[in-house]
């Protein structure tokens, strides 16, 4: 090894030591929020410690790009680039097993909680992919300008750095000028953390002491910035755990707090139900949550932790629902429903709800049976009606609500049926006490077998996802949902928060076949990632005729406010019997090129070409040309 290579390595080592907290903060920001704060803290430290180059350093051709902004110190840009590459790799290929991170058995570590602004920024960051978070970090934490950040992103392996920077700029505008200060706050500092126990109650006191001491020693070498006053004495953490299981310490929100708060979500729900004062029942629910018996049934929505409570949760409901004793608790991040049937084992149902709002925090499923369910409504819901989305012109039906907020039974959507003959949905009207009707209009929700119903929205033709979806209660939106709602069956139990229909293109069909609509149906989950289904809606003989699936994509930002252009294609048969290849794209698409079994080209946002001798089975690759340059491939089914 020559002297220059040795010097490079030594400079990288010095930079790592000097700027360790800065590097860990950047890695923590880029790592997927779905990992959870504990795992993300430990993984960020582990990645930065693995970022040192080996002795045989190979300098990439061309050198590192010059940085306009704070000058990088010798060696620092090397370790930053390696840490960034490792963190970005977790987006699709998470490292598992003991080598992935330092091990801290028996303790959970997480940064100090911030205020409402930090929470809003964290929620916005969880909805974008890792390259966008990396771009924000390079701007706001590292002080790089666009050109320098683009170079670092490209060298870190980001396939489309320009798209990542555009999405980052959009997010930066929406979060305001204080994003940089917020990212430098304790909410995003994985070097100053708090400790909480995991399974303290399952170990004897002597074992607990040994584990806590061992964990503290392990963390001491990794997280030097742990606050001294938080959880450093076993007696203190025992008190915290005991308080979390004390029914007398359950949080109870005053009945009318929802009318005078800026945070209208599950935290504003009062405690309701006839058994809300039953300490024995509440104590049983907390103990089963902390240590479920072997025969207990545990259900968790996708991406939801089932860990025991680490602080006294909030009580939302306790009462008898259809001969089942039910307790619903909220710990600030999750809803937990404890169901205690007569002569049967208890059930725990967990659902993540840490980004709720007046619509997604408007109801939860309090009871469920064969073909029916009941909602428990938020106190700000003043009226509920039920409609069949498959019959958009049918009248709505009123629904009785008990004084404690529990509705009558509502039919559930069909499961496993080849024919989707009906699809019940509830239409909620918010109280004017949280805003005028123009500000908080009625909205639709439906049940997809999770603890929280899914909000349904719609974007009209000519609209863009950046403008945000509207409520799906108008006639055009209901007509679109009548033909696409049955595709929601594939999303059952997936932890979906909301689903939006976006009519991204209208197309005149060949041979005078009328007008067709291209729809992108996007499902967003509580944990962040979303999926899309492109659907083709030709003229139909009946309002609920199902759409044709034109393409699908999972874990994508497509059709969202952070999404790239989208395109799709289908085979369509005219009345003459002739088959055509049809394609359409969003507003950014200005033309199409088709290769393979069909060869054709055309300008405009829609495209049609006869498939020729190959018929409907002719294989073809469809690529949309963007008006700004570049291209987008049509999604495949």
């Amino acid at each position: 090894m020559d002297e220059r290579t040795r010097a490079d390595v030594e400079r990288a080592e010095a930079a790592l030591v000097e700027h360790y907290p800065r590097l860990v903060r950047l890695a923590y920001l880029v790592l997927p929020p779905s990992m959870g704060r504990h795992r993300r803290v430990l993984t960020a430290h582990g990645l930065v410690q693995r970022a040192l180059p080996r002795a045989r350093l190979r300098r990439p051709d061309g050198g590192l790009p010059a940085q306009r902004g704070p000058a990088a110190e010798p060696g620092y840009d090397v370790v930053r680039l390696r840490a960034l590459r490792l963190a970005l790799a977790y987006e699709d290929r998470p490292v598992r097993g003991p080598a992935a991170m330092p091990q801290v058995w028996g303790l959970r570590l997480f940064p100090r909680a911030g205020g409402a602004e930090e929470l809003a920024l964290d929620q916005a960051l969880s909805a974008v992919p890792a390259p966008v978070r990396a771009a924000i970090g390079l701007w706001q934490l590292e002080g790089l300008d666009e050109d320098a950040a683009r170079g670092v992103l490209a060298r870190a392996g980001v396939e489309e750095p320009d798209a990542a920077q555009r999405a980052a700029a959009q997010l930066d505008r929406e979060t305001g000028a204080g994003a940089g200060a917020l990212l430098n706050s304790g909410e995003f500092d994985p070097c100053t953390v708090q400790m909480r126990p995991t399974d303290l109650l399952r170990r004897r006191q002597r074992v607990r002491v040994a584990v806590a001491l061992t964990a503290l020693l392990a963390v001491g070498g990794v997280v030097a910035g742990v606050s001294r006053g938080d959880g450093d004495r076993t007696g203190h953490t025992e008190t915290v755990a005991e308080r979390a299981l004390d029914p007398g310490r359950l949080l109870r929100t005053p009945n009318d707090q929802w009318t005078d708060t800026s945070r209208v979500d599950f935290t504003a729900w009062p405690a309701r139900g006839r058994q809300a004062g039953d300490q024995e029942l509440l104590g049983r629910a907390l103990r089963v949550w902390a240590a479920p018996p072997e025969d207990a049934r545990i259900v968790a929505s996708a991406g939801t932790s089932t860990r025991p409570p680490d602080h006294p949760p909030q009580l939302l409901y306790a009462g008898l629902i259809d001969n089942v004793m039910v307790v619903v608790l909220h710990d600030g991040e999750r809803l937990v429903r404890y169901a205690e049937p007569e002569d049967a084992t208890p059930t725990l149902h967990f659902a993540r709800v840490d980004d709720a709002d007046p619509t997604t925090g408007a109801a939860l499923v309090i009871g469920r049976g064969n073909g029916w369910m009941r909602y428990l409504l938020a106190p700000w819901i003043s009226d509920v009606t039920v409609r069949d989305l498959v019959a958009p012109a049918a009248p709505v039906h009123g629904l009785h609500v008990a004084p404690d907020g529990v509705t009558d039974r509502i039919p559930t959507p069909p499961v496993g049926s080849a024919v989707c003959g009906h699809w019940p949905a509830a239409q909620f009207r918010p109280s004017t006490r949280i805003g005028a009707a123009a500000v908080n209009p009625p909205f639709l929700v439906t049940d997809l077998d999770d603890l929280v119903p899914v909000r349904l929205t719609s974007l009209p033709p000519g609209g863009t996802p950046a403008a945000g979806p509207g409520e799906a209660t108008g006639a055009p939106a209901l007509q679109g949902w009548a033909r696409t709602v049955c595709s929601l069956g594939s999303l059952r139990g997936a932890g979906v928060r909301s689903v939006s229909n976006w009519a991204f293109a209208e197309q005149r069909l060949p041979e005078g076949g009328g007008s067709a609509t291209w729809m992108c149906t996007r499902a967003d989950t509580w944990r962040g990632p979303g999926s899309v289904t492109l659907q083709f809606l030709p003229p139909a003989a009946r309002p609920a005729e199902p759409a044709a699936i034109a393409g699908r994509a999972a874990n994508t930002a497509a059709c969202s406010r952070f999404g790239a252009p989208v395109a799709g294609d289908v085979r369509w048969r005219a009345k003459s019997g002739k088959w055509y290849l049809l394609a359409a794209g969003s507003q950014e698409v200005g033309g199409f090129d088709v290769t393979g079994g069909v060869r054709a080209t055309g300008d405009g946002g829609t495209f049609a070409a006869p498939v020729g001798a190959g018929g409907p089975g002719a294989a073809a690759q469809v690529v949309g040309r963007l008006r700004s340059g570049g291209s987008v491939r049509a999604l495949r089914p």
Side-chain angles (χ1 to χ4, degrees):
M1 183 176 73
D2 61 31
E3 291 298 318
R4 180 178 181 181
T5 302
R6 181 180 298 111
D8 285 340
V9 174
E10 291 174 353
R11 283 195 292 267
E13 292 172 345
L16 178 67
V17 172
E18 182 176 358
H19 299 291
Y20 182 84
R22 175 176 166 186
L23 291 164
V24 174
R25 189 187 289 263
L26 178 63
Y28 178 85
L29 173 64
V30 176
L31 286 168
S34 59
M35 296 174 66
R37 292 195 295 171
H38 170 75
R39 184 179 176 90
R40 205 157 39 129
V41 165
L42 297 181
T43 304
H45 283 274
L47 296 185
V48 171
Q49 291 177 15
R50 290 164 49 200
L52 278 175
R54 297 185 178 182
R56 294 182 180 180
L57 180 65
R58 291 288 183 264
R59 184 180 301 277
D61 294 339
L64 290 170
Q67 297 180 357
R68 291 181 286 278
E73 298 178 14
Y76 176 75
D77 45 11
V78 175
V79 261
R80 180 179 63 194
L81 182 62
R82 290 172 64 89
L84 194 59
R85 284 174 176 165
L86 291 170
L88 286 167
Y90 268 72
E91 188 76 350
D92 299 313
R93 299 182 298 278
V95 179
R96 304 183 186 278
M101 65 183 75
Q103 301 300 299
V104 187
W105 186 64
L107 289 178
R108 298 192 64 81
L109 310 177
F110 48 90
R112 293 181 177 276
E117 292 180 340
E118 288 87 347
L119 176 62
L121 177 59
D122 188 52
Q123 293 168 348
L125 290 169
S126 69
V128 298
V132 179
R133 296 193 296 274
I136 285 284
L138 292 174
W139 290 350
Q140 301 290 7
L141 297 179
E142 295 296 293
L144 303 186
D145 63 14
E146 287 192 20
D147 291 340
R150 182 185 299 108
V152 174
L153 290 172
R155 297 178 64 82
V158 174
E159 294 183 357
E160 297 182 356
D162 287 333
Q165 291 206 114
R166 287 195 299 271
Q170 176 69 20
L171 187 147
D172 196 43
R173 287 192 295 269
E174 294 176 353
T175 54
L182 295 177
L183 287 175
N184 281 283
S185 69
E187 173 81 15
F188 300 94
D189 183 7
C191 287
T192 303
V193 298
Q194 299 183 68
M195 295 183 182
R196 289 293 183 270
T198 53
D199 51 347
L200 255 167
L201 298 177
R202 301 182 186 180
R203 291 178 242 150
R204 293 181 298 175
Q205 183 176 6
R206 185 171 300 176
V207 177
R208 291 199 301 266
V209 173
V211 171
L213 290 175
T214 302
L216 285 173
L217 290 174
V219 176
V222 178
V223 195
V226 173
S227 298
R228 294 184 176 181
D230 296 327
D232 58 349
R233 294 188 299 274
T234 302
H236 175 69
T237 53
E238 283 184 327
T239 301
V240 170
E242 291 169 355
R243 288 179 177 178
L245 300 183
D246 182 358
R249 296 183 180 272
L250 286 173
L251 304 180
R252 297 169 185 261
T253 300
N255 288 338
D256 291 330
Q257 180 167 313
W258 63 271
T259 66
D260 192 24
T261 179
S262 61
R263 185 174 177 179
V264 185
D265 58 11
F266 288 105
T267 62
W269 282 38
R272 290 173 288 178
R274 291 188 177 183
Q275 274 67 45
D278 188 336
Q279 298 296 300
E280 184 177 348
L281 169 65
L282 300 177
R284 285 200 306 274
L286 290 167
R287 289 192 297 273
V288 171
W289 178 5
E294 292 184 359
D295 57 351
R297 180 170 177 260
I298 299 178
V299 181
S301 299
T304 304
S305 168
T306 61
R307 69 179 184 273
D310 55 11
H311 60 271
Q314 175 190 356
L315 175 64
L316 302 187
Y317 187 88
L320 189 65
I321 303 293
D322 296 295
N323 296 320
V324 177
M325 202 62 73
V326 176
V327 176
V328 182
L329 304 166
H330 177 233
D331 70 351
E333 176 185 347
R334 301 166 294 167
L335 289 179
V336 183
R337 185 184 68 186
Y338 168 79
E340 185 183 270
E342 293 182 359
D343 302 324
T345 56
T347 296
L348 286 171
H349 195 154
F350 297 84
R352 183 173 174 177
V353 293
D354 51 331
D355 191 19
D357 57 30
T359 57
T360 53
L364 61 86
V365 177
I366 195 69
R368 188 185 296 279
N370 185 18
W372 59 267
M373 45 79 67
R374 297 181 190 269
Y375 286 130
L376 175 64
L377 302 180
W380 57 84
I381 299 302
S382 61
D383 182 61
V384 185
T385 53
V386 178
R387 69 183 318 140
D388 184 359
L389 292 181
V390 175
V396 298
H397 301 282
L399 187 68
H400 176 261
V401 181
D404 61 358
V406 176
T407 69
D408 281 355
R409 293 183 177 184
I410 303 173
T412 53
V415 178
S417 174
V419 178
C420 177
H422 68 284
W423 196 285
Q427 182 167 309
F428 294 162
R429 182 180 298 277
S431 169
T432 56
R433 297 176 71 183
I434 63 168
V439 178
N440 296 297
F443 57 94
L444 285 179
V445 299
T446 193
D447 174 49
L448 289 181
D449 288 353
D450 278 318
L451 190 52
V452 181
V454 175
R455 181 190 177 198
L456 302 180
T457 59
S458 181
L459 271 166
T464 62
E471 304 305 339
T473 53
L478 291 173
Q479 290 167 5
W481 273 112
R483 301 190 61 183
T484 58
V485 68
C486 293
S487 66
L488 297 183
S490 62
L491 301 175
R492 294 181 188 277
V496 175
R497 175 185 176 179
S498 62
V499 185
S500 180
N501 265 346
W502 174 34
F504 66 89
E506 297 282 343
Q507 181 174 20
R508 298 299 302 176
L509 298 176
E511 302 185 16
S515 179
T517 299
W518 289 81
M519 193 81 74
C520 183
T521 301
R522 177 175 177 84
D524 286 306
T525 63
W526 285 96
R527 61 191 184 279
S531 61
V532 298
T533 302
L534 295 192
Q535 305 191 67
F536 175 70
L537 287 66
R542 53 190 179 89
E545 184 172 321
I549 303 299
R552 299 181 190 273
N555 298 321
T556 177
C559 305
S560 75
R561 58 179 177 166
F562 303 111
V566 65
D569 68 276
V570 294
R571 305 300 189 275
W572 175 79
R573 188 178 188 182
K575 290 182 179 180
S576 65
K578 188 175 182 179
W579 284 94
Y580 288 85
L581 183 147
L582 306 179
S586 53
Q587 293 178 351
E588 302 91 338
V589 177
F592 288 91
D593 296 313
V594 184
T595 56
V598 179
R599 292 185 174 274
T601 186
D603 295 328
T606 60
F607 173 84
V611 298
Q621 293 76 48
V622 179
V623 176
R625 299 192 306 273
L626 302 181
R627 302 180 192 277
S628 59
S631 61
V632 57
R633 288 186 175 274
L635 296 183
R636 308 311 305 163

